């Protein structure tokens, strides 16, 4: 049994304090006949006796110095996400004559606020920022005992093991990591024993839950970043098994290659063998045995294969790891391969047709990779010419349906009267001119594969209800027939329209929209991924030079700069591709000039006054470097907005050459 603070009357508190003092004396003297006492307190007293804690102590040890304390607080994730909640709670409790603290997992106070006079009294027992209130340091107290047991606890007066703390009451509740469930620290409210209230423990318990919820929100963000990293590594290592592990090395995602490799090596699936072989403990041990590092190589005996570990950080917090399994034929792969960012060497054949490494295009690829293994509809949004069909093909090729067909239908290019027969097929004799034996529709052709419905926004309203039924029932009926035919098809749709606006305008069914809009991925327009334009230019020039058996041409530096940094590319990648194909065909002397580009680009280029400014040509660079002063070079840098790459392109020189001249004039990069 345990006495509860059900009354805050002075008489009740005094009576209970005397009973506790009597209990403590009997315990210290090993005398029988203890009054009822909290089990959690009695167990703590036993531990204090085992620790050899001096029951006459009046204060805990001195806190660390200022710089050490700043480091402790600065490195605390718990402090970072608790401060706002504690500040709000402190405002509500500022007149209650209590102190509010947050302590880390070692019992050190990393947050302290409350009544100024109570603070002064608490300083006598070293209840200050940085001081340690673990059981090992100062015996039974709410902070230390809550940390030791993992439970909320209220310690009143002589329940404290050390005599110098008997004038206080404290209530603490642990805060746990939402993923690992480990105790990160405790929230504590401390005050004079005469101010003891039963509801104080409930208040700190609720505060700890609020903070745990904030930590949970952060864990979701961590999980998202970890999955984005995982998707990036899947693209980089298409022939390797890739497994995403959380902060305590539990698997949260794995690609098909990893699952197949593990099954081939062990005869069991990933989740089963992970539990049986306690890989989590093995990886934790290997992680803690070495120095912290971004990546390292390990050998997992049960797999019989070397592995690479890439640790993933968010800020200065390690949020998880990526485990890369190396197949038998790749065992010579060095661990430093993780730092090889040459995109053309790392991307899989499925993504080889999509040229780019900008953040937006990589993000779109990562999202596609996440949904490729699912069977939910995917809606690709993007302007015309942005490459939606290439993305659809890539999703198909990295999915578990890649052995099945990829069937595409442009809904906007198909006459309305033929759309039904194209989608659903028809039986023999359905109409005049029909194929004698009937014909399969696109759904049947795509069975166990992928059906790509391009320009879905052009789908006539009356056909949308039929498509909706197919998506729901997973079966079609041919024109002129009555027998349902089961179809197993992954749907990828694409449009340049704002479907939500079409729904509002009444030309697109809301139920069909929401059925398609399970996952939507936006393909960025070319003007929003300008970092990719140089790669695309070089790619298309090589492609068309080879196609037409011509020497690889070069772009005039001024024209190249305009195409990369200024032109808006309303037709996106398709416009760039067509423009460069024309230029390769018509250019003379191996140099593509303004006249070799389409009239629309020529007009825009000539109308843009900035490109005609006095820009130094490559031939005049030596003259420029020798005759112009520092100011002239800085003016060029300023005109490019501080973009040294653009400045180097304008000058027709390498960036390293530009850097040398800047350093010569005392200008740092």
């Amino acid at each position: 049994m345990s006495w509860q603070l059900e009354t805050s009357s002075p008489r009740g508190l005094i009576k209970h304090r005397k009973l506790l003092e009597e209990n403590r004396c009997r315990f210290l003297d090993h005398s029988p006949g203890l009054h009822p006492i909290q089990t959690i307190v009695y167990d703590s007293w036993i531990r204090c006796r085992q620790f050899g804690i001096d029951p006459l102590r009046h204060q805990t040890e001195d806190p660390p110095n200022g710089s050490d304390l700043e480091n402790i607080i600065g490195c605390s994730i718990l402090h970072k996400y608790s401060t706002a909640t504690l500040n709000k709670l402190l405002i509500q409790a500022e007149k209650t004559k209590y102190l509010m603290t947050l302590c880390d997992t070692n019992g050190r106070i990393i947050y302290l606020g409350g009544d100024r006079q109570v603070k002064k009294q608490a300083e006598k027992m070293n209840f200050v920022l940085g001081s340690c209130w673990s059981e090992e340091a100062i015996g039974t107290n709410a902070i230390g005992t809550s940390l030791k047991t993992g439970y909320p606890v209220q310690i009143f007066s002589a329940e404290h093991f050390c005599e110098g703390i008997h004038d206080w009451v404290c209530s603490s509740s642990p805060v746990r990591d939402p993923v690992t469930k480990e105790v990160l620290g405790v929230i504590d409210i401390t005050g004079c024993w005469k101010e003891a209230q039963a509801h104080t423990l409930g208040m700190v318990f609720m505060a700890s839950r609020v903070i745990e919820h904030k930590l949970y929100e952060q864990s979701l963000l961590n999980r998202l970043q970890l999955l984005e990293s995982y998707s990036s590594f899947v693209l980089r290592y298409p022939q390797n098994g890739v497994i995403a592990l959380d902060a305590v090395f539990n698997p949260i995602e794995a690609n098909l290659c990893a699952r197949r490799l593990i099954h081939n090596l062990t005869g069991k699936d990933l989740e089963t063998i992970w539990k049986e072989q306690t890989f989590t403990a093995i990886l934790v041990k290997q992680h803690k045995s070495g120095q912290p590092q971004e990546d390292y190589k390990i050998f997992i005996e049960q797999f019989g294969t070397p592995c690479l570990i890439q640790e993933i950080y968010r800020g200065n917090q390690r949020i998880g790891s990526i485990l890369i399994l190396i197949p038998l034929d790749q065992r010579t792969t060095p661990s430093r391969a993780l730092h090889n960012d040459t995109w053309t060497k790392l991307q899989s054949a499925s993504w080889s047709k999509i040229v780019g490494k900008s953040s937006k295009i990589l993000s779109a690829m990562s999202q596609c990779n996440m949904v490729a293994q699912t069977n939910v509809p995917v809606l690709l949004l993007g302007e015309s010419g942005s490459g939606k069909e290439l993305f659809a093909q890539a999703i198909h090729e990295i999915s578990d349906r890649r052995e099945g067909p990829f069937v595409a239908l442009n809904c906007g290019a198909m006459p309305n009267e033929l759309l039904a027969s194209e989608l659903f097929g028809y039986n023999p004799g359905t109409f005049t001119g029909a194929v004698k034996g009937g014909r399969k529709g696109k759904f049947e052709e795509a069975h166990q594969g992928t059906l790509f419905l391009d320009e879905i926004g052009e789908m006539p309203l009356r056909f949308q209800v039929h498509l909706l039924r197919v998506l729901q029932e997973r079966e079609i009926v041919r024109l002129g027939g009555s027998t349902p035919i089961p179809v197993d098809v992954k749907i990828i749709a694409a449009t340049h329209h704002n479907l939500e606006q079409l729904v509002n305008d009444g030309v697109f069914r809301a139920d069909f929209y929401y059925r398609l809009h399970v996952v939507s991925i936006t393909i960025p327009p070319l003007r929003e991924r300008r970092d990719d334009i140089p790669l695309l230019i070089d790619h298309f020039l090589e492609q068309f030079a080879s196609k037409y058996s011509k020497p690889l041409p070069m772009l005039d530096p001024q024209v190249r700069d305009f195409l990369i940094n200024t032109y808006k590319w309303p037709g996106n990648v398709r416009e760039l591709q067509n423009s460069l194909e024309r230029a390769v065909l018509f250019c003379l002397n191996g140099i593509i000039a303004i006249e070799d580009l389409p009239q629309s680009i020529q007009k825009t280029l000539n109308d843009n006054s900035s490109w005609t400014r006095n820009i130094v040509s490559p031939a005049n660079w030596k003259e420029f470097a020798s005759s112009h002063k520092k100011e002239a070079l800085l003016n060029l840098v300023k005109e490019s907005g501080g973009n040294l790459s653009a400045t180097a392109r304008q000058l027709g020189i390498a960036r390293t050459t530009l850097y040398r001249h800047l350093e010569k004039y005392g200008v740092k990069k």
Side-chain angles (χ1 to χ4, degrees):
M1 292 186 60
S2 62
W3 182 87
Q4 301 293 326
L5 287 173
E6 296 175 353
T7 175
S8 58
S9 68
R11 180 176 297 178
L13 293 176
I14 292 171
K15 179 181 178 181
H16 187 59
R17 174 173 174 142
K18 288 182 178 178
L19 287 175
L20 288 173
E21 288 174 345
E22 218 176 286
N23 255 2
R24 178 173 170 275
C25 289
R26 289 182 180 180
F27 176 83
L28 294 176
D29 293 339
H30 300 276
S31 300
L34 291 180
H35 298 292
I37 185 174
Q38 294 188 77
T39 302
I40 199 169
V41 171
Y42 181 79
D43 291 342
S44 176
W45 284 0
I46 296 291
R47 288 193 297 271
C48 291
R49 178 183 284 167
Q50 294 170 346
F51 295 152
I53 302 294
D54 182 1
L56 300 178
R57 286 197 68 171
H58 279 68
Q59 60 179 208
T60 190
E61 56 198 42
D62 292 333
N65 61 44
S67 59
D68 290 341
L69 179 57
E70 288 179 6
N71 290 334
I72 292 170
I73 295 175
C75 294
S76 172
I77 298 297
L78 179 60
H79 182 272
K80 179 179 179 181
Y81 295 113
S82 301
T83 305
T85 299
L86 295 176
N87 286 340
K88 290 179 182 178
L89 196 59
L90 193 61
I91 292 173
Q92 298 175 3
E94 61 182 348
K95 297 180 180 180
T96 60
K97 297 183 180 180
Y98 275 96
L99 301 179
M100 180 168 293
T101 66
L102 176 70
C103 301
D104 65 14
T105 187
N106 296 312
R108 294 174 298 202
I109 297 177
I110 55 177
Y111 174 98
L112 175 62
D115 187 276
R116 185 176 301 176
Q117 293 301 319
V118 179
K119 273 187 182 180
K120 287 185 177 180
Q121 295 174 17
E123 287 174 1
K124 297 177 182 178
M125 56 179 182
N126 262 348
F127 197 80
V128 294
L129 269 178
S131 60
C132 181
W133 284 79
S134 65
E135 278 192 350
E136 291 84 351
I138 192 62
T140 307
N141 71 95
I143 294 170
T145 303
S146 186
L147 282 172
K148 183 66 70 175
T149 63
Y151 292 106
V153 61
Q154 186 175 65
I155 303 296
F156 173 74
S157 186
E159 286 179 322
H160 292 96
F161 188 77
C162 293
E163 186 176 292
I165 321 176
H166 287 188
D167 287 339
W168 300 89
V169 59
C170 48
S171 305
S172 295
S173 182
V175 179
R176 294 182 180 274
D177 184 287
V179 176
T180 67
K181 303 305 178 184
E182 294 178 357
V183 175
L184 301 176
V186 297
I187 298 175
D188 172 77
I189 292 180
T190 292
C192 175
W193 70 276
K194 295 179 181 179
E195 305 293 336
Q197 298 286 341
H199 63 76
T200 309
L201 184 59
M203 186 164 63
V204 294
F205 176 78
M206 291 304 299
S208 67
R209 295 295 84 81
V210 170
I211 292 172
E212 286 178 350
H213 182 70
K214 288 185 177 293
L215 292 171
Y216 176 69
E217 291 176 344
Q218 292 304 312
S219 73
L220 293 180
L221 295 176
N222 292 345
R223 177 65 64 94
L224 178 61
Q225 180 176 327
L226 186 58
L227 288 176
E228 287 179 350
S229 297
Y230 159 77
S231 297
S232 176
F233 276 93
V234 168
L235 292 174
R236 293 182 180 189
Y237 296 89
Q239 306 303 319
N240 295 75
V242 181
I243 304 173
L245 306 171
D246 63 20
V248 291
F249 298 98
N250 290 315
I252 61 173
E253 191 60 83
N255 68 346
L256 194 59
C257 181
R259 294 183 179 278
R260 285 177 175 170
L261 183 60
I262 290 175
H263 189 271
N264 291 340
L265 291 170
T266 67
K268 299 178 180 178
D269 61 63
L270 170 66
E271 287 75 16
T272 300
I273 194 168
W274 206 274
K275 291 178 182 177
E276 288 181 357
Q277 300 292 340
T278 62
F279 289 123
T280 297
I282 294 170
L283 292 172
V284 168
K285 183 178 180 181
Q286 294 200 44
H287 169 72
K288 291 183 177 179
S289 63
Q291 294 295 322
Q293 50 190 326
E294 288 188 359
D295 62 84
Y296 51 94
K297 195 170 183 178
I298 64 172
F299 186 86
I300 298 181
E301 184 178 349
Q302 291 86 341
F303 292 163
T305 181
C307 305
L308 303 176
I309 293 281
Q310 170 75 51
E311 297 191 339
I312 307 300
Y313 285 83
R314 186 163 176 253
N316 60 359
Q317 179 190 8
R318 189 182 72 85
I319 61 173
S321 308
I322 304 297
L323 177 66
I324 302 172
L325 308 177
I326 305 174
L328 296 176
D329 58 350
Q330 298 182 27
R331 290 191 175 185
T332 58
T333 302
S335 63
R336 303 309 297 175
L338 288 170
H339 294 302
N340 182 4
D341 289 326
T342 306
W343 183 250
T344 55
K345 292 182 180 179
L346 295 177
Q347 71 179 145
S348 68
S350 302
W351 293 107
S352 60
K353 295 179 182 179
I354 299 174
V355 178
K357 59 180 181 180
S358 63
S359 60
K360 287 193 175 182
I361 205 71
L362 291 183
S363 176
M365 289 180 180
S366 296
Q367 292 176 61
C368 290
N369 200 73
M370 290 181 189
V371 301
Q373 303 301 325
T374 69
N375 200 32
V376 298
V378 178
L379 180 61
L380 300 177
L381 305 174
E383 298 176 4
S384 296
S386 57
K388 297 186 290 295
E389 184 165 356
L390 292 179
F391 271 83
Q393 289 174 343
I395 292 174
H396 170 74
E397 290 170 8
I398 61 178
S399 74
D400 54 2
R401 295 173 176 267
R402 59 184 173 275
E403 302 299 329
F406 177 84
V407 179
L409 176 68
N410 190 318
C411 302
M414 184 62 55
N416 290 352
E417 58 271 14
L418 297 180
L419 192 56
S421 62
E422 282 292 322
L423 284 170
F424 308 125
Y426 54 84
N427 279 348
T430 301
F431 50 82
T432 303
V435 176
K436 184 178 180 180
R439 181 181 169 186
K440 291 182 178 180
K442 298 298 184 184
F443 273 98
E444 285 185 80
E445 290 179 7
H447 183 61
Q448 294 186 334
T450 301
L451 177 60
F452 175 54
L453 299 175
D454 198 8
E455 296 303 341
I456 193 69
E458 307 290 341
M459 174 72 67
L461 193 63
R462 62 192 181 94
F463 282 112
Q464 294 173 22
V465 65
H466 299 297
L467 275 179
L468 177 64
R469 185 175 297 115
V470 174
L471 293 178
Q472 292 173 339
E473 305 297 334
R474 296 286 176 178
E475 60 184 24
I476 59 100
V477 176
R478 288 185 182 182
L479 299 184
S482 59
T483 304
I485 301 173
V487 287
D488 176 17
V489 173
K490 181 182 180 70
I491 297 293
I492 303 177
T495 182
H496 69 279
H497 288 292
N498 183 336
L499 292 187
E500 193 170 354
Q501 184 60 49
L502 295 184
V503 171
N504 294 334
D505 294 341
V507 295
F508 204 87
R509 291 179 62 99
D511 50 1
F512 186 43
Y513 167 69
Y514 290 116
R515 191 68 181 85
L516 286 174
H517 199 253
V518 178
V519 173
S520 64
I521 298 172
T522 300
I523 313 303
L526 189 56
R527 63 183 174 276
E528 292 182 7
R529 43 180 289 223
R530 290 195 177 273
D531 290 348
D532 294 335
I533 296 178
L535 299 175
L536 287 162
I537 288 175
D538 294 340
H539 170 75
F540 289 135
L541 289 180
E542 291 179 7
Q543 176 183 325
F544 295 128
S546 175
K547 178 180 179 180
Y548 297 112
S549 301
K550 299 187 70 171
L552 181 65
M554 294 186 62
L555 269 173
D556 178 278
Q558 298 177 29
V559 175
R560 185 182 179 92
D561 178 73
F562 178 79
L563 298 183
I564 293 172
N565 296 307
T566 306
Y567 188 60
K568 301 299 184 183
W569 295 111
N572 293 295
V573 178
R574 185 185 296 129
E575 182 186 11
L576 174 61
Q577 181 178 7
N578 294 341
S579 300
L580 292 178
E581 184 170 14
R582 181 190 191 282
V584 169
L585 285 170
F586 288 100
C587 72
L588 300 174
N589 303 319
I591 297 178
I592 296 175
I594 172 71
E595 295 79 12
D596 302 319
L597 296 171
Q599 287 294 326
S600 57
I601 297 180
Q602 288 187 42
K603 184 179 184 304
T604 307
L605 186 60
N606 289 325
D607 290 345
N608 189 288
S609 60
S610 63
W611 86 278
T612 58
R613 287 180 296 185
N614 184 25
I615 297 176
V616 183
S617 67
N620 295 330
W621 165 248
K622 291 184 179 179
E623 178 184 346
F624 170 86
S626 60
S627 62
H628 286 65
K629 301 291 184 181
K630 167 183 174 181
E631 291 75 14
L633 187 57
L634 290 181
N635 283 337
L636 283 178
V637 174
K638 185 180 294 185
E639 287 177 0
S640 67
N643 187 329
L644 297 187
S645 297
T647 303
R649 284 195 298 270
Q650 287 180 331
L651 295 170
I653 62 173
R655 281 186 302 174
T656 53
T657 303
L658 177 60
Y659 294 159
R660 286 199 301 271
H661 283 276
L662 287 172
E663 291 173 358
K664 173 183 176 183
Y665 292 124
V667 180
K668 296 182 178 180
K669 286 187 287 185

